[in-house]
Amino acid sequence: MPARYGEWETVYGLFRRWQRDGTWARILKELQARADAKGPITWDVSVDSTITRAHQHAAGARKRGICRSRRPAASISSLPTIAWAALGVG
């Protein structure tokens, strides 16, 4: 943020105060009224009804088979060991 605006905490505090007391809404309303009086804004509304679905795992859904309370997850010590040296690997 440019130094001419002061400390970021001060700027943020002013922004939040104006947001809470409706200053930003009044500014927007006034700017829209002025633009509407001059005529350059067309107030047509365009609504896009496209739906994009996310995969269930992308939305935070629980993944099946990862960890169930009835079936504890396997630990390294419970997996069968293979003597890789005896097979000539490594």
Side-chain angles (χ1 to χ4, degrees):
M1 179 177 321
R4 68 179 178 261
Y5 296 127
E7 297 293 322
W8 73 266
E9 294 94 345
T10 306
V11 174
Y12 178 73
L14 186 60
F15 170 79
R16 290 290 292 157
R17 188 171 359 148
W18 287 1
Q19 185 180 32
R20 287 185 193 120
D21 71 10
T23 299
W24 289 120
R26 287 191 303 275
I27 290 172
L28 177 62
K29 187 176 180 179
E30 178 64 28
L31 289 173
Q32 286 175 335
R34 288 182 187 188
D36 196 31
K38 288 182 180 179
I41 294 181
T42 304
W43 297 102
D44 294 336
V45 176
S46 176
V47 178
D48 182 4
S49 62
T50 304
I51 297 174
T52 304
R53 293 187 173 259
H55 190 271
Q56 64 182 359
H57 297 154
R62 187 172 182 159
K63 298 175 178 110
R64 291 186 181 177
I66 296 298
C67 183
R68 294 187 182 159
S69 59
R70 288 186 236 139
R71 192 178 61 191
S75 66
I76 294 176
S77 62
S78 66
L79 296 177
T81 53
I82 300 174
W84 291 105
L87 296 174
V89 178

